[in-house]
């Protein structure tokens, strides 16, 4: 099985757990004189089985990510860490550019000449350029990660 297939299976198992959780909660109590639509105890047991399988799958995915080499990007785990930090960096630079530009502020401009003028403490255009470069880096790294996901076999 390829790592990409395991990731899709993990997503499906996570969705299944959430569906089962909702069904357990919906059937955990019922009105006297009626019967619940489903057996909450059976649903809870099924949820436990799905969670056990999910844990085993996540362990295999993590072992594979830590061992799979992506060349200059290091292991897949290294690349995922880099992507996470790039996303955070992009978010911070974008927020700084928005704040410096006054985006989202009502009445940002002066109404009267006697009012104080708000000035930007940061170079907005430069920040926008950095944000664009970071977004490009994120996309390129994400493509390399996706490529590796479909090239690497899942470890036991």
């Amino acid at each position: 099985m390829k790592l990409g297939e395991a990731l899709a299976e993990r997503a499906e198992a996570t969705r299944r757990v959430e569906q089962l959780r909702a069904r357990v909660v919906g059937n955990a109590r019922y009105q006297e004189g009626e019967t619940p639509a489903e057996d909450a105890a059976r649903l809870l047991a099924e949820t436990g089985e799905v969670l056990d399988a999910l844990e085993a799958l996540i362990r295999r995915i993590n072992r594979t990510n830590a061992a799979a080499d992506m060349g200059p990007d290091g292991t897949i785990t290294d690349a995922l860490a880099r992507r996470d930090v790039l996303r955070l960096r992009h978010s911070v630079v974008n927020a700084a550019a928005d704040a410096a530009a006054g985006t989202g502020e009502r009445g940002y401009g002066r109404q009267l000449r006697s009012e104080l003028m708000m000035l930007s403490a940061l170079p907005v255009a430069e920040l926008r350029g950095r944000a664009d470069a970071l977004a490009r880096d994120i996309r390129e790294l994400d493509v390399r990660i996706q490529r590796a996901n479909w090239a690497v076999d899942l470890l036991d």
Side-chain angles (χ1 to χ4, degrees):
M1 173 187 303
K2 295 294 183 189
L3 178 57
E5 294 172 87
L7 293 170
E9 198 173 298
R10 179 186 68 183
E12 178 56 36
T14 302
R15 279 190 294 276
R16 178 82 177 131
V17 166
E18 186 53 36
Q19 290 170 348
L20 287 166
R21 185 197 67 74
R23 289 168 58 195
V24 167
V25 168
N27 290 283
R29 292 175 52 99
Y30 60 96
Q31 193 169 6
E32 184 180 9
E34 293 187 11
T35 56
E38 295 183 89
D39 181 358
R42 186 190 56 75
L43 290 171
L44 198 53
E46 185 179 343
T47 304
E49 292 169 11
V50 174
L51 286 168
D52 290 343
L54 178 61
E55 180 182 355
L57 184 61
I58 290 170
R59 287 172 181 260
R60 291 180 67 194
I61 289 168
N62 288 346
R63 276 194 297 276
T64 304
N65 284 345
D69 184 44
M70 289 182 51
D73 291 314
T75 64
I76 293 177
T77 299
D78 295 335
L80 292 171
R82 175 84 176 127
R83 183 182 66 184
D84 289 347
V85 170
L86 282 172
R87 286 178 176 165
L88 287 170
R89 192 178 308 272
H90 179 263
S91 174
V92 169
V93 170
N94 233 6
D98 288 346
T103 303
E105 290 183 25
R106 291 183 56 200
Y108 182 74
R110 293 192 304 183
Q111 299 294 325
L112 304 170
R113 287 174 22 139
S114 62
E115 291 181 288
L116 293 176
M117 189 166 144
M118 298 295 290
L119 302 174
S120 175
L122 296 168
V124 176
E126 180 184 316
L127 289 172
R128 298 278 187 223
R130 282 176 52 192
D132 290 346
L134 286 166
R136 183 190 64 248
D137 292 347
I138 292 166
R139 283 190 308 274
E140 290 172 355
L141 180 57
D142 200 42
V143 166
R144 292 192 302 274
I145 291 169
Q146 293 301 323
R147 189 178 305 126
N149 286 344
W150 291 102
V152 172
D153 289 320
L154 188 67
L155 298 177
D156 288 324

